[in-house]
């Protein structure tokens, strides 16, 4: 399609309609839709609605084809709609939430999962997914941690690029879909972990920590960027010219589509940044955004802004060309249904191959937090009590698209299938909701079941509705009812295993001692139950490591490993260290640090060795350490390399991850792991307001989690 020629035929109204996106329900070809349907409050005219450029929130191939047909029949220019959807961790077959995928430290697996999701989405008619979500997360209270891969910029960059590659392929394949990285920028920096709240961060914090994962997606060729709801230093991202036009477009060279978040242009009024919808339209187009999601500021007010000379037709044409370009690239002009196919949906949805990927991912994502030896369970265990509000629920997590709880395996099903000869008894124990008052009757039933069992597996934590958009929490423990349940069960059964389901780090300090073993499955998706059973019985070993610190108490939030030093660091016990940076009632360190996780074997790591004590700019040196499996089982160690810039023009974090390697070791085996250190790893946003390195001393740590403090030094010199 010659899109420039097409553009020359378009009226201003048609162009602005291309730049507008409304929910599928507004476009439905039956009585629900049209200007008098759900779109009523948007005050659209029939011709505006007929020429709309894209839509979101539709269900499956059949609906997509129906909407596309109706649209093409109405649109005088017959420009196909682009169909977008939040495919965050699977379409119908649901893989673990992105936070869990962070715990795998396995970008290849992340890419495989994204590619599987793309395939199911493509056949369901999705052209663009609103993912990956790569917001840096430092505050466990924020509900949307579950969508991100965690607190570390290095890991997030790898996972960001992996998802883009997985979704998009090379954009020519039948099942490739376009990706949209979000939420640009720093949405995860919401004050107090409260969703949609203000973000106020320094430029160096943005550049060094928050920006890199978005940039990684851009560098990987992402087709679209979504701006965030929040303010950044007083200016909403939706109308932030410095952010979008400056950093994204001019500095990073991104010349593809920028879309708003849901109704976010209009919310600039609520923020107190714009005084009218017209002002919102002006700020957004000036900012550099192309598509407005779910509000009609562009449609209604750009004509007047053009007349007044505040906005040029050139700006509009640029935006429209970007949109038409993507439609053209995806072949929509030739085939407006692209890969939508009911037949292929039936073939791919929940197929064995996809379920297998999900199981593998859920196994690799699970993190063992405590184990006094009760795990793994023996195949010959005679009687097992499976208890808890999440023991017989498919834990697919928030943003699970077309996924269904009832299609996911539960822990109860997984255990029953794996050990068919054991006596497995189930009790719900307490309610799913975060109820404060335990229900005595339910608990009594659970105690009865536990009494007769040789081990009790308690499935606790958060239901999927407790983490996700809008679901921030000020208390991040488990409910009082769940805590009582653990205590009561422990009174009658001496082997208690707590399986947590969670979309964020939880505070587990207050029940740590009551459980013999604790593990997190996160929100593991379609094969969560079978993966959990395999792990509990040692059919597979734990290899997941925490992608976010687990706080000791919620009062420590935000907490992350790559923090700055203070002038008065805590030296002794927190209770006795007056006039130091401390809490009087809690340690400074988290309960479990970033990178932490146990397995069914033990690993030891040697002091690091360095190949040279000076690194010349442009050169390379090596750091190595030997990791040994000192236990009795085979296992996978995650060897992590961190660097600290000892003195710099702007204070640098105590350490930053710069590399990791997963190492498979048979029992008793040892291997030496080597990392190459190059100058680009030492770059940061300096006091000169640019990315550069500074000569001087650096410390390198090689360890098994972020608390490693043995280091070697080297000097960067000319
Ligand atoms: C969310 C986005 C999402 C959009 C469309 C918004 O509320 O913040 O992440 O892509 O809705 O569903």
């Amino acid at each position: 399609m010659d899109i420039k020629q097409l553009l020359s035929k378009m009226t201003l109204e048609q162009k602005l309609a291309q730049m507008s996106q409304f929910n599928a329900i507004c476009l439905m070809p039956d009585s629900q839709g049209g200007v008098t349907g759900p779109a009523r409050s948007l005050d659209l005219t029939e011709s505006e609605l007929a020429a709309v450029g894209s839509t979101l929130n539709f269900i499956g191939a059949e609906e997509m084809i129906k909407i596309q047909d109706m649209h093409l029949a109405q649109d005088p220019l017959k420009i196909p709609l682009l169909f977008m959807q939040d495919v965050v961790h699977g379409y119908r077959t649901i893989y673990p939430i992105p936070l869990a995928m962070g715990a795998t430290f396995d970008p290849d697996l992340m890419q495989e999962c994204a590619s599987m999701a793309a395939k199911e989405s493509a056949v369901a008619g999705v052209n663009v997914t609103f993912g990956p979500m790569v917001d840096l997360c430092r505050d466990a209270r924020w509900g949307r941690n579950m969508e991100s891969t965690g607190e570390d910029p290095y890991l997030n960059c790898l996972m960001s690029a992996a998802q883009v590659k997985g979704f998009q392929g090379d954009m020519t394949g039948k099942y490739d879909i376009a990706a949209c990285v979000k939420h640009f920028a720093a949405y995860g920096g919401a004050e107090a972990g409260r969703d949609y709240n203000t973000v106020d961060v320094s430029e160096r914090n943005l550049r060094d920590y928050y920006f890199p994962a978005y940039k990684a997606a851009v560098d990987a060729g992402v087709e679209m960027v979504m701006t965030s709801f929040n303010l950044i230093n007083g200016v909403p991202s939706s109308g932030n010219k410095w952010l979008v036009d400056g950093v994204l477009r001019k500095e990073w060279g991104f010349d593809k589509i920028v879309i708003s978040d849901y109704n976010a242009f209009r919310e600039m009024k609520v923020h107190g940044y714009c005084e009218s919808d017209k002002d919102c339209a002006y700020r957004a187009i000036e900012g550099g955004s192309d598509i407005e999601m779910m509000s009609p500021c562009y449609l209604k007010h750009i004509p007047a802004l053009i007349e007044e000379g505040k906005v040029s037709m050139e700006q509009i044409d640029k935006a429209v060309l970007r949109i038409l370009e993507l439609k053209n690239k995806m072949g929509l002009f030739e085939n407006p249904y692209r890969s939508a196919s009911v037949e292929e949906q039936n073939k791919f949805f929940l197929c064995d191959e996809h379920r297998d990927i999900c199981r593998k991912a859920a196994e690799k994502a699970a993190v063992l937090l405590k184990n006094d030896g009760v795990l793994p369970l023996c195949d010959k265990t005679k009687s097992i009590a499976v208890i808890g509000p999440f023991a017989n629920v498919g834990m697919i997590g928030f943003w699970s698209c077309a996924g269904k709880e009832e299609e996911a395996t539960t822990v109860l099903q997984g255990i029953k299938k794996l050990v068919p000869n054991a006596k497995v008894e189930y009790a719900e124990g307490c309610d799913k909701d975060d109820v404060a008052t335990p229900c005595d009757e339910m608990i009594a039933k659970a105690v009865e079941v536990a009494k007769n069992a040789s081990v009790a597996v308690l499935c606790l934590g958060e239901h999927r509705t407790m983490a996700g958009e809008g679901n921030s929490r000020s208390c991040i423990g488990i409910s009082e009812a769940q805590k009582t349940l653990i205590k009561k069960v422990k009174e009658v059964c001496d082997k208690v295993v707590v399986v947590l389901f969670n979309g964020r780090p939880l505070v587990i300090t207050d029940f740590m001692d009551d459980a013999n073993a604790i593990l997190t499955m996160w929100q593991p998706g379609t094969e969560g139950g079978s993966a959990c059973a395999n792990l509990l019985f040692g059919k597979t070993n734990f290899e997941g490591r925490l992608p976010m610190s687990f706080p000791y108490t919620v009062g420590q939030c935000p907490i992350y490993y790559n923090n700055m030093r203070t002038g008065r660091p805590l030296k002794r016990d927190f209770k006795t260290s007056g006039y130091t940076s401390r809490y009087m009632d809690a340690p400074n360190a988290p309960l479990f640090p970033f990178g932490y996780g146990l397995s069914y074997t033990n690993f030891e790591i040697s002091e690091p060795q360095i190949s040279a004590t000076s690194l010349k700019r442009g050169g390379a040196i090596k750091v190595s350490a030997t990791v040994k499996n000192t236990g009795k089982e085979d296992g996978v160690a995650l060897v992590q390399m961190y660097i600290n810039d000892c003195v710099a023009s702007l204070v640098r974090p105590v350490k930053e991850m710069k590399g990791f390697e997963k190492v498979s070791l048979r029992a008793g085996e040892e291997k030496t792991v080597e990392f190459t250190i190059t100058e680009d790893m030492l770059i940061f946003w300096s006091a000169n307001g640019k990315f550069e390195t500074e000569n001087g001393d650096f410390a390198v740590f090689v360890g098994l989690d972020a608390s490693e403090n043995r280091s070697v030094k080297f000097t960067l010199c000319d």
Side-chain angles (χ1 to χ4, degrees):
M1 166 65 70
D2 184 342
I3 52 171
K4 286 208 169 126
Q5 203 194 0
L6 175 61
L7 182 77
S8 68
K9 289 195 222 145
M10 292 170 77
T11 63
L12 178 58
E13 183 185 75
Q14 285 165 339
K15 289 177 184 175
L16 297 174
Q18 283 300 313
M19 294 165 68
S20 304
Q21 174 170 111
F22 301 108
N23 260 327
I25 194 151
C26 304
L27 313 179
M28 291 290 188
D30 50 39
S31 55
Q32 304 160 350
V35 290
T36 56
R40 205 171 41 241
S41 61
L42 299 166
D43 202 21
L44 302 175
T45 65
E46 267 172 31
S47 58
E48 284 167 345
L49 205 55
V52 156
S54 56
T55 187
L56 78 161
N57 291 341
F58 64 102
I59 308 158
E62 220 166 331
E63 195 167 290
M64 183 268 191
I65 293 166
K66 206 155 125 189
I67 295 173
Q68 189 73 291
D69 277 342
M70 179 232 46
H71 168 78
L72 292 171
Q74 286 177 4
D75 182 1
L77 291 169
K78 311 238 168 294
I79 303 175
L81 283 165
L82 259 180
F83 287 77
M84 309 197 193
Q85 191 81 358
D86 292 278
V87 183
V88 175
H89 54 118
Y91 185 84
R92 180 71 169 264
T93 319
I94 305 299
Y95 57 87
I97 54 170
L99 189 60
M101 292 307 296
T104 67
F105 282 81
D106 189 339
D108 291 341
L109 181 62
M110 180 53 127
Q111 184 171 334
E112 195 181 352
C113 286
S115 154
M116 170 202 97
K119 195 170 188 177
E120 291 194 6
S121 309
V123 299
V126 177
N127 305 135
V128 182
T129 171
F130 294 125
M133 185 283 214
V134 303
D135 303 326
L136 187 79
C137 297
R138 292 170 163 177
D139 195 324
R141 292 170 295 181
W142 194 44
R144 300 194 79 167
N145 292 323
M146 51 86 35
E147 286 171 66
S148 156
T149 49
E151 76 183 39
D152 181 59
Y154 177 79
L155 176 64
N156 288 356
C157 282
L158 295 177
M159 291 302 200
S160 168
Q163 287 177 84
V164 172
K165 286 184 211 147
F167 288 132
Q168 293 194 171
D170 61 4
M171 284 297 285
T172 61
K174 183 174 175 196
Y175 306 123
D176 296 342
I177 60 172
C180 171
V181 68
K182 67 188 186 185
H183 307 83
F184 191 60
Y187 180 36
E191 281 182 0
R194 180 155 50 78
D195 207 3
Y196 315 122
N197 203 10
T198 299
V199 174
D200 204 337
V201 287
S202 62
E203 183 169 358
R204 63 87 58 106
N205 203 352
L206 285 172
R207 301 255 184 201
D208 280 339
Y209 311 110
Y210 284 96
F211 280 171
Y214 309 107
K215 170 94 168 26
V218 168
D219 292 345
V222 77
E223 290 292 340
M224 206 178 283
V225 174
M226 184 190 290
T227 47
S228 54
F229 284 124
N230 52 284
L231 302 183
I232 292 194
N233 304 332
V235 182
S237 301
S238 304
N240 197 318
K241 194 170 165 122
W242 171 78
L243 184 73
V244 181
D245 188 54
V247 175
L248 179 65
R249 294 229 188 266
K250 299 214 168 78
E251 285 183 34
W252 300 354
F254 182 76
D255 196 23
K256 300 184 209 171
I257 300 169
V258 176
I259 187 168
S260 78
D261 206 339
Y262 204 97
N263 194 41
F265 285 176
R266 231 183 199 173
E267 289 173 17
M268 285 196 277
K269 272 194 314 190
V270 192
H271 277 299
Y273 185 67
C274 295
E275 54 192 17
S276 61
D277 283 3
K278 185 173 164 193
D279 200 13
C280 292
Y282 175 65
R283 295 290 177 182
I285 192 82
E286 272 292 292
S289 291
D290 306 304
I291 301 182
E292 174 175 14
M293 186 197 294
M294 275 312 281
S295 54
C297 304
Y298 276 0
L299 259 173
K300 299 294 175 191
H301 301 287
I302 284 190
L305 289 165
I306 290 182
E307 235 164 67
E308 290 162 20
K310 284 189 157 166
V311 170
S312 69
M313 193 57 96
E314 203 192 330
Q315 278 171 285
I316 303 303
D317 286 353
K318 247 191 189 172
V320 177
L321 274 178
R322 289 185 186 119
I323 297 159
L324 297 179
E325 178 64 47
L326 181 61
K327 294 184 176 188
N328 208 18
K329 193 180 205 174
M330 300 195 83
L332 291 178
F333 290 103
E334 291 74 32
N335 174 9
Y337 316 110
R338 206 162 176 263
S339 307
S341 151
V342 175
E343 208 188 341
E344 289 212 295
Q345 282 185 165
N346 296 335
K347 192 161 124 203
F348 296 139
F349 284 180
L350 300 162
C351 65
D352 288 349
E353 188 195 338
H354 290 186
R355 279 189 174 270
D356 283 348
I357 298 172
C358 288
R359 187 178 315 106
K360 181 166 124 193
E363 288 170 358
K364 285 180 187 286
V367 183
L368 182 61
L369 299 170
K370 174 184 175 180
N371 186 15
D372 70 359
V374 69
L375 291 180
L377 301 177
C378 167
D379 283 359
K380 299 200 177 69
T381 309
K382 286 209 180 67
S383 54
I384 307 162
V386 183
I387 295 172
F390 307 124
N392 202 22
V393 179
M395 298 302 282
I396 56 178
F398 202 91
W399 289 120
S400 45
C401 214
K404 298 181 180 164
E405 277 189 356
E406 61 275 19
E407 288 170 349
T409 60
T410 71
V411 176
L412 182 64
Q413 289 165 353
I415 292 180
K416 278 188 169 168
K417 190 162 174 209
L418 192 68
V419 284
N421 298 325
K423 183 171 152 234
V424 180
E425 280 200 84
Y426 161 70
E428 198 178 356
C430 67
D431 211 74
K432 278 199 226 20
D433 300 325
D434 189 13
V435 281
T437 357
C439 168
D440 292 345
E441 220 172 280
M442 285 172 96
I443 290 187
K445 244 190 201 165
V447 169
E448 222 28 64
V449 165
K451 238 185 218 163
N452 308 320
S454 41
V455 59
V457 175
L458 264 63
C459 301
L460 309 173
E462 303 178 308
H463 187 239
R464 68 169 163 154
T465 51
M466 289 172 74
E469 186 174 351
N471 297 333
S472 295
R473 298 177 62 198
S474 68
C475 294
I476 52 170
I478 59 172
S479 69
E480 287 307 314
Q482 293 184 24
K483 283 184 211 164
T484 309
L485 186 62
I486 304 178
K487 278 210 182 313
K488 295 279 180 200
V489 167
K490 184 68 189 164
E491 277 167 20
V492 298
C493 182
D494 29 274
K495 289 185 182 166
V496 172
V497 177
V498 171
V499 177
L500 290 173
F501 294 93
N502 45 311
R504 57 159 62 76
L506 294 178
V507 168
I508 63 171
T509 324
D510 45 359
F511 64 88
M512 272 286 282
D513 294 341
D514 295 332
N516 300 82
I518 304 178
L519 59 111
T520 169
M521 289 301 297
W522 312 100
Q523 307 282 3
T526 304
E527 284 297 325
S530 43
C532 184
N534 284 344
L535 288 159
L536 290 173
F537 285 87
K539 302 296 164 207
T540 182
N541 203 343
F542 284 89
E543 58 181 90
R545 302 291 183 265
L546 296 180
M548 273 185 91
S549 313
F550 266 47
Y552 190 90
T553 145
V554 71
Q556 291 179 318
C557 293
I559 186 165
Y560 46 97
Y561 81 89
N562 48 359
N563 54 338
M564 303 297 159
R565 287 186 220 104
T566 96
R568 294 193 174 189
L570 175 69
K571 290 203 182 93
R572 299 188 307 271
D573 181 74
F574 66 87
K575 291 183 192 131
T576 57
S577 298
Y579 298 102
T580 61
S581 179
R582 61 147 182 172
Y583 300 104
M584 293 171 71
D585 52 1
N588 286 358
L591 181 63
F592 298 118
F594 174 84
Y596 174 87
L598 303 171
S599 85
Y600 290 147
T601 190
N602 294 311
F603 301 106
E604 269 171 23
I605 190 154
S606 69
E607 296 254 353
Q609 304 288 319
I610 198 142
S611 66
T613 50
S614 60
L615 169 64
K616 276 201 180 320
R617 286 168 185 277
I621 56 172
K622 305 223 187 256
V623 64
S624 61
T626 301
V627 57
K628 182 168 184 181
N629 181 342
T630 55
K632 293 198 177 71
E633 300 290 330
D634 299 349
V636 178
L638 181 74
V639 179
Q640 305 161 36
M641 194 261 285
Y642 298 88
I643 298 184
N644 164 237
D645 188 342
C646 304
V647 177
S649 62
L650 292 178
V651 173
R652 308 286 298 126
V654 291
K655 54 171 74 99
E656 291 174 289
M657 182 176 255
K658 294 293 172 182
F660 60 79
E661 198 175 313
K662 292 188 97 164
V663 189
S664 293
L665 292 166
R666 288 192 307 276
E669 193 185 6
E670 63 176 41
K671 278 185 193 161
T672 298
V673 180
E674 193 174 75
F675 296 98
T676 302
I677 301 174
T678 48
E679 192 194 340
D680 57 291
M681 290 178 177
L682 314 178
I683 214 155
F684 72 106
W685 189 257
S686 77
N688 294 325
K690 59 178 183 183
F691 280 108
E692 56 183 352
T693 54
E694 290 176 358
N695 284 354
D697 289 347
F698 293 81
V700 194
F701 307 78
V702 182
L704 299 174
D705 64 49
S707 69
E708 175 61 60
N709 55 23
R710 293 169 302 169
S711 66
V712 271
K713 281 205 169 156
F714 71 90
T715 309
L716 177 70
C717 52
D718 292 323

